[in-house]
Amino acid sequence: MEVTKITNATRTYKIGEVETRALRGVDLSIENGEFTALVGPSGSGKTTLLQLIGLLDQPTSGSVFINGQDATHLNRNQRADLRKDAIGFVFQFFALIPTLTAYENIEMPLLLNGTKPADRKARVNQMLDAVGLSDRAHHRPDQLSGGQQQRVAVARALATNPKLILADEPTANLDTENGKQVMDIMQRLNKETGVTFVFATHDPRVISYAKRVVTLEDGVIQKDSKSNGKSKS
Amino acid sequence: MTQLFKLAYRNLWRNKTRSLLSALAVAGGMSLLLLMASVLEGELRGALQNTIRLQSGHLQIRPASYEEGKISLKWEDMIENPEQVTEQIKTLPQVIVATPRLIASGILTLSDESKGVQIIGVDPASEANQPFREGMIAGEFIQADDREGILIGNILADKLKLNVGDRVNLLVTTSNGDVDEQLFTIRGIYTTRTPGFDEFNVLMPLAKAQAFTATEDHASTIFILLQENEQADPVAQALQSNNFQTLTWRDQNQFVVQFEDYAGVFLVFLYLIVLGITATVVTNTLVMAVFERTREIGVLAAIGMKGRGIMAQFLVEAALLATGGVIGGLIIGGAAVAYFTVNGVYIGNYGITGVLFEERIYAHLTFENAVTLAIVTYVITLVASLYPARIAASMEPIEALHGLGA
């Protein structure tokens, strides 16, 4: 089943009198359980595509479907609702709320979707355990390493059980060891829970984890290839 | 909701100095307004109570021909057999004191100096003289049968360098238009702590004043004090007569009453100016916070927080700032008001015609004023946060995530 589908999507930005065409008619379908990398050089449109899939931005033309629902013309609040229920995000910068502990950061999306306190507690502890940070639950982001922060971000993205996790350059600010840890966790969770991961990257070590690699260049998909992906070592 | 408050509280502590300064601005604005409102209230209240107890009473019975501002000693402009009228008035339960008074213009002369004064003939036994009795700073109060004794205020005594026992010449125009002059002995010097009164008023026994001015068994007015200010109108109604005019303290102190209204408007302008400045500080603080936290706003929006949730977060921060500011304002302002309520502020001989200001103004804070100011400060602080909260709420997630702001 398709988790997301993009049909003939274009995205044009206008800065002053200058128009930049970030996407020039992209068709992409992501099936449930995929572990897909969007790759390409800077300016190729991979982040823009990720933002359209994540309903953070809207296409200039074309359509975006999430879980079979046409999300192209949803208003701000409807898109926020759909993001809350169906999509998790991991950002390049460790996008945690600095005033909240690891536990509270993971709890935030559960608060937003109205999960009951007892269920919330169980789920947060489960996610902390899944990313190996149970002993860091009450640490604030500035008391965690970059890798630990990104693992908290992964746990937060998965907290509400979304079908789709979007990660934009998730290891770009991490050293090799921490980057590997984060990718290993994402891969394990993909296998264990069947959640779909789509991540934008240009790091060959990260690309090697992907089962499917979609290569973008100048706003169009140049190549779409599938492999078995790197095994956890 | 708890999470919202927790997050807002922690966000405020991210930049302690800025948050504390903002709360202090709210506290400072509010305490300044508390002080201004209470000093103004105290000034007006003091002036009114002073004017009532010394000059106008709660009510005065005047002859039908009485004209405001004109002191006439003609018999037809005076009350005949005032004791009889006074006894009738005293039967009303609201009346604490009713006493006849004679008021005349005169000139006090020494060998080389003279000064225009107002002579007040009083019944020395009356409770209405309590402010003078309590304010005796030298000598003794006058007796009813004293034919030569007078009391003068301390300001007049200082200006003319007079002491108890000194003899002075008083000159009046009598009821039949003749000028009479007599020597009097200063029996005592009083102070009402109201320079405007103490400089011009000479007290003598009513009987002597009547004899001196040839008004015989007549008085200018019946001076009445009631249990409460608000009883003036119903008692005035009860005392209505064709032969007399009944003037309430409001009728006699219209300037003070109007001044109170103007002061109210003036105070509203002051509120707006001071709270406007405070609001600007709060707006500025929160605008800075919004732009510092643009990425966080983007993250919250990305994980599904709607605009109203983001707006609520900044409003709660403003509410916490306002709460801290209002509590601080009540403490700082309350302390300042308490000081000026006890010690007052010296203004000296400051006067407006017809209004008797004491030489010190004492702050007077009413519960109503304090509550109103606290609510107004709180609401204005919240209103001031609407603009930054709306900026945050209207940010596009994608722009916010890139730290681009609204």
Side-chain angles (χ1 to χ4, degrees):
Chain A
M1 185 194 162
E2 283 169 346
V3 177
T4 182
K5 188 171 82 170
I6 303 285
T7 56
N8 198 24
T10 67
R11 183 67 176 99
T12 305
Y13 297 104
K14 195 171 180 185
I15 300 167
E17 295 298 310
V18 182
E19 277 195 353
T20 306
R21 297 178 69 193
L23 291 178
R24 305 164 182 243
V26 169
D27 290 292
L28 180 69
S29 173
I30 307 280
E31 296 289 325
N32 199 13
E34 281 193 22
F35 201 72
T36 299
L38 302 179
V39 302
S42 288
S44 61
K46 55 187 187 298
T47 296
T48 304
L49 181 56
L50 211 59
Q51 287 163 357
L52 291 189
I53 298 170
L55 307 181
L56 294 171
D57 197 4
Q58 287 177 295
T60 308
S61 65
S63 302
V64 180
F65 294 86
I66 301 290
N67 297 330
Q69 180 189 349
D70 186 354
T72 315
H73 302 294
L74 297 181
N75 64 30
R76 271 173 73 109
N77 283 342
Q78 289 167 328
R79 279 187 282 139
D81 276 335
L82 199 50
R83 280 198 302 271
K84 184 177 70 189
D85 296 329
I87 307 169
F89 291 92
V90 179
F91 298 100
Q92 176 182 344
F93 55 93
F94 318 127
L96 301 178
I97 306 299
T99 47
L100 299 181
T101 62
Y103 182 100
E104 290 163 340
N105 266 289
I106 298 167
E107 189 185 28
M108 182 57 84
L110 296 165
L111 282 164
L112 290 175
N113 77 359
T115 306
K116 288 178 185 167
D119 297 342
R120 221 159 56 210
K121 188 176 177 186
R123 183 64 179 161
V124 174
N125 285 327
Q126 185 190 351
M127 292 320 302
L128 278 166
D129 191 39
V131 295
L133 287 173
S134 295
D135 59 336
R136 294 281 186 273
H138 301 293
H139 287 61
R140 294 203 182 164
D142 60 1
Q143 297 166 322
L144 299 171
S145 70
Q148 288 171 330
Q149 288 185 53
Q150 200 63 310
R151 279 147 65 190
V152 174
V154 171
R156 182 181 64 189
L158 282 155
T160 55
N161 254 330
K163 286 191 172 173
L164 177 62
I165 305 291
L166 302 173
D168 188 9
E169 306 271 9
T171 61
N173 288 331
L174 299 176
D175 58 29
T176 308
E177 180 54 32
N178 278 308
K180 181 175 175 302
Q181 274 186 21
V182 168
M183 288 312 297
D184 286 345
I185 286 170
M186 283 168 53
Q187 189 182 52
R188 176 167 54 79
L189 291 168
N190 169 254
K191 281 179 182 166
E192 287 174 4
T193 64
V195 65
T196 310
F197 277 86
V198 179
F199 47 93
T201 185
H202 53 251
D203 182 344
R205 289 167 300 181
V206 175
I207 296 168
S208 66
Y209 280 84
K211 292 180 199 165
R212 179 182 174 190
V213 178
V214 177
T215 307
L216 283 113
E217 210 172 295
D218 296 330
V220 292
I221 293 175
Q222 292 291 351
K223 195 173 161 192
D224 189 347
S225 60
K226 291 190 178 177
S227 72
N228 290 329
K230 183 180 176 180
S231 300
K232 188 178 172 184
S233 55
Chain B
M1 188 55 88
T2 314
Q3 194 75 3
L4 199 63
F5 274 92
K6 195 196 288 179
L7 194 57
Y9 177 78
R10 290 182 189 171
N11 278 331
L12 286 177
W13 283 105
R14 286 163 86 162
N15 195 328
K16 284 181 203 167
T17 310
R18 192 173 65 198
S19 298
L20 281 173
L21 284 175
S22 298
L24 205 60
V26 176
M30 186 178 160
S31 46
L32 186 65
L33 289 179
L34 269 180
L35 190 61
M36 286 195 299
S38 58
V39 166
L40 199 59
E41 174 83 22
E43 181 184 20
L44 290 171
R45 188 172 174 267
L48 192 60
Q49 292 308 322
N50 218 25
T51 309
I52 288 172
R53 76 192 177 104
L54 296 176
Q55 194 164 275
S56 70
H58 286 113
L59 282 175
Q60 282 197 25
I61 304 296
R62 297 269 191 167
S65 59
Y66 164 76
E67 288 177 39
E68 192 181 347
K70 182 182 163 191
I71 298 177
S72 170
L73 293 176
K74 289 179 183 169
W75 286 14
E76 62 266 30
D77 294 332
M78 301 187 80
I79 299 167
E80 194 175 1
N81 292 321
E83 280 79 11
Q84 195 182 332
V85 181
T86 302
E87 288 311 312
Q88 285 176 0
I89 294 168
K90 281 180 177 173
T91 59
L92 291 171
Q94 300 96 325
V95 174
I96 297 173
V97 172
T99 184
R101 281 184 175 174
L102 188 143
I103 296 162
S105 295
I107 297 172
L108 189 150
T109 59
L110 296 169
S111 53
D112 55 350
E113 269 186 285
S114 64
K115 177 120 177 107
V117 293
Q118 179 168 266
I119 298 165
I120 307 176
V122 300
D123 171 7
S126 173
E127 283 290 308
N129 301 318
Q130 203 57 25
F132 308 115
R133 284 184 183 283
E134 286 173 356
M136 292 300 295
I137 53 174
E140 291 174 353
F141 199 75
I142 43 174
Q143 302 294 318
D145 57 354
D146 192 339
R147 311 301 290 172
E148 286 188 355
I150 57 169
L151 298 179
I152 63 170
N154 65 325
I155 305 293
L156 183 62
D158 288 347
K159 287 205 168 172
L160 298 180
K161 297 184 176 58
L162 293 171
N163 288 307
V164 173
D166 287 352
R167 289 173 70 79
V168 293
N169 223 14
L170 269 179
L171 196 136
V172 290
T173 304
T174 64
S175 64
N176 49 30
D178 298 335
V179 173
D180 196 3
E181 188 180 6
Q182 283 186 31
L183 265 178
F184 288 87
T185 303
I186 297 169
R187 300 276 185 237
I189 297 171
Y190 67 84
T191 177
T192 61
R193 303 191 186 286
T194 311
F197 189 91
D198 297 344
E199 189 175 349
F200 297 103
N201 288 282
V202 173
L203 271 61
M204 68 175 65
L206 179 63
K208 175 61 191 173
Q210 286 169 330
F212 185 32
T213 56
T215 49
E216 296 194 8
D217 193 18
H218 289 76
S220 307
T221 181
I222 311 289
F223 177 94
I224 302 167
L225 290 176
L226 304 172
Q227 289 159 341
E228 290 172 24
N229 290 7
E230 298 316 310
Q231 292 170 335
D233 286 328
V235 174
Q237 289 266 316
L239 294 174
Q240 283 293 349
S241 155
N242 291 335
N243 299 327
F244 305 114
Q245 289 182 47
T246 309
L247 302 169
T248 67
W249 59 268
R250 271 198 193 86
D251 298 330
Q252 298 173 77
N253 298 299
Q254 285 193 350
F255 183 81
V256 182
V257 174
Q258 282 175 3
F259 188 66
E260 200 167 7
D261 291 341
Y262 290 135
V265 175
F266 172 69
L267 212 53
V268 168
F269 272 106
L270 277 180
Y271 281 10
L272 291 176
I273 292 168
V274 174
L275 290 177
I277 294 168
T278 305
T280 308
V281 173
V282 172
T283 303
N284 191 41
T285 298
L286 290 176
V287 166
M288 280 196 279
V290 167
F291 285 108
E292 278 172 9
R293 283 162 26 207
T294 300
R295 269 193 177 177
E296 282 170 46
I297 292 165
V299 170
L300 290 170
I303 65 174
M305 188 179 271
K306 290 179 187 168
R308 63 171 180 266
I310 292 166
M311 193 162 176
Q313 196 190 311
F314 283 92
L315 289 178
V316 171
E317 282 180 38
L320 291 178
L321 268 183
T323 305
V326 166
I327 291 170
L330 286 171
I331 292 169
I332 299 168
V337 169
Y339 177 83
F340 286 108
T341 301
V342 174
N343 300 301
V345 54
Y346 184 77
I347 60 161
N349 187 2
Y350 170 73
I352 299 173
T353 309
V355 186
L356 297 176
F357 288 105
E358 285 190 274
E359 62 191 9
R360 278 185 175 276
I361 293 176
Y362 292 90
H364 178 78
L365 180 63
T366 62
F367 180 72
E368 188 189 344
N369 270 349
V371 170
T372 305
L373 258 174
I375 292 172
V376 168
T377 306
Y378 198 86
V379 169
I380 287 194
T381 307
L382 283 187
V383 169
S385 71
L386 280 175
Y387 171 65
R390 280 180 65 87
I391 292 177
S394 63
M395 280 181 180
E396 284 298 330
I398 193 66
E399 289 175 355
L401 281 166
H402 288 114
L404 298 176

